[in-house]
Structures are given as structure tokens and as C-alpha cells.
Amino acid sequence: MCGRFAITLPNDAMAQLFSASPANDLPEVPNYNVCPTTQIHVVQGGEGGRRLVSMRWGFLPHWYKAPDGGPLLINARAETIATKPAFRDACRQRRCLIPVTGFYEWTKDEDGLRWPWYIHGEGPLALAGVWQSWKGENGPVNTCAIVTTGANRPMSAIHHRMPVIVGHEDWALWLGEAGHGAAKLMTSAPDDLLSFYQVDRAVNSNRAAGPDLIDPLDEG
């Protein structure tokens, strides 16, 4: 799964990287502790070109009567996304990319304590996502979820799931700009794409902030 991440790229740099027009209400960056239900950066495709917009991380199916009207859907499993009622239409029609600098995963020690790991690549990563416009009392709310798949060999030492990472050469295909065939992209990342290291347990709090959250843990 993917339940927390960091984004440090400035908004204008993000827009340039994805060749996207930026919205005016983008979340503040850097953010080293992006949590579910907050607004995150999302790249959408469309007839007018790509847009970098803000969306709620936590997919809301159309039948939810309120944001807390059902389970919190921050991830969508690649294996079932095409058949699950919540995601199947979005999988076909409303795919997006979610820029991150890195993401967190946790392991437990023998005492049951949760220890966080920071997972990253050599540069920004584009996670596969799906989005949904939900009709709220005060108007439409755009929401999204991160697509996950089985972990690759290195990641499996930390967790059995990982986000689907879309390479630059496949962005157009995932966004629906290059025809059909996006389903083939929902696989685990190559074993050599990511690196990871343990970080301080401070990030276990969703109120924690600051660049020190991604500093390697000083085991000395």
C-alpha cells in the first residue's frame, strides 16, 4: 500500500516536468509528510492538454453520502481495479499521475513498534492514480486514489505491496493520450529503480513536519 509520502518539487518545476498547466490552488510545497484526506498534486490529461491540479487524497465513490460515508479509499489494487464498483469506471476513463519525491512504509520490530522507511528514486516519481468527482453539499470535490500492486523483490523486505510507478515514457499511455493499453503498466517497479532507508519514528505522527523526517536514522 501507500499511506504517506513526501513531495519537495516546487509547483512550477512540477508543471514543467509534466508539461502541465498549473492550477491556482495547488498545495504548499515542500511537504515531507503528506497524509490521507489532505489535498495533493495530481496530473490530469484531457483534450485541452495536461493540468496540474489539487485533489483530495481519498477516493469518494458517487454513492457516498458524506466523505466519511464508507471506507477510506486511499489505494486501489491493480489486480481488482477494473472490476471493483468503486474504481472500474475511473480505471477506464479517469486515470491520473501523482508526483512524489518519495514515500513511506513501515515494519514492526519484535516489540510491536512501527519503524518507518523512506523509499525514493534518483528523481521525482510519478505514481499511477485514478480520480473521481464527488458531489458534495458545497459543490463537486475531486478525489483520488493511488494504484498499488505486489512489491518487487527489494521492497518485499518491507511490505508486500507498493505503488505502481509510471515511467516518463509511459505517462501519455497512462493518462489516455496514447490510446489503449494502460493495463500493462500496472506492474511492480524494476528491482533497481528504488532505494530505501530507515528514518526516525517522528513521521509516525501525521502532525510531524520538516525535512529531517527523511533523514536516515542515526543508529549510533
Side-chain angles (χ1 to χ4, degrees):
M1 63 176 294
C2 181
R4 208 87 67 79
F5 65 85
I7 178 66
T8 63
L9 204 61
N11 288 331
D12 57 349
M14 252 187 283
Q16 183 176 9
L17 176 64
F18 290 94
S19 301
S21 299
N24 295 323
D25 61 345
L26 294 173
E28 292 186 6
V29 283
N31 187 343
Y32 295 88
N33 191 10
V34 182
C35 302
T37 74
T38 61
Q39 295 296 118
I40 66 172
H41 298 80
V42 173
V43 179
Q44 290 177 302
E47 293 183 0
R50 294 177 187 172
R51 297 186 65 230
L52 179 64
V53 299
S54 175
M55 290 191 188
R56 176 190 189 268
W57 183 18
F59 191 98
L60 296 177
H62 66 84
W63 60 82
Y64 276 28
K65 302 301 183 184
D68 58 354
L72 179 59
L73 304 176
I74 62 171
N75 294 152
R77 293 175 66 93
E79 298 87 344
T80 58
I81 193 171
T83 57
K84 288 287 186 182
F87 300 120
R88 62 190 177 197
D89 288 342
C91 176
R92 296 181 178 90
Q93 304 171 23
R94 295 184 300 278
R95 297 187 299 274
C96 59
L97 296 169
I98 298 171
V100 307
T101 305
F103 57 96
Y104 299 95
E105 197 52 79
W106 280 260
T107 55
K108 284 186 178 181
D109 64 17
E110 58 186 12
D111 296 320
L113 295 177
R114 297 175 72 243
W115 289 93
W117 297 76
Y118 181 64
I119 301 105
H120 63 96
E122 293 185 357
L125 302 171
L127 308 187
V130 291
W131 68 277
Q132 166 84 27
S133 185
W134 179 76
K135 294 182 179 179
E137 291 183 356
N138 299 317
V141 178
N142 288 333
T143 70
C144 63
I146 294 171
V147 182
T148 66
T149 188
N152 61 17
R153 184 186 56 79
M155 273 292 298
S156 64
I158 300 176
H159 199 274
H160 66 285
R161 305 289 296 175
M162 69 182 299
V164 171
I165 300 170
V166 183
H168 184 280
E169 69 281 2
D170 292 319
W171 290 353
L173 182 58
W174 182 256
L175 292 175
E177 301 165 348
H180 301 288
K184 69 181 182 181
L185 303 178
M186 292 191 287
T187 59
S188 56
D191 286 352
D192 60 353
L193 180 67
L194 302 173
S195 300
F196 50 85
Y197 53 82
Q198 205 166 42
V199 294
D200 193 270
R201 295 180 66 238
V203 77
N204 288 7
S205 168
N206 59 15
R207 295 183 296 274
D212 55 322
L213 294 180
I214 65 170
D215 287 345
L217 182 66
D218 182 4
E219 299 180 352

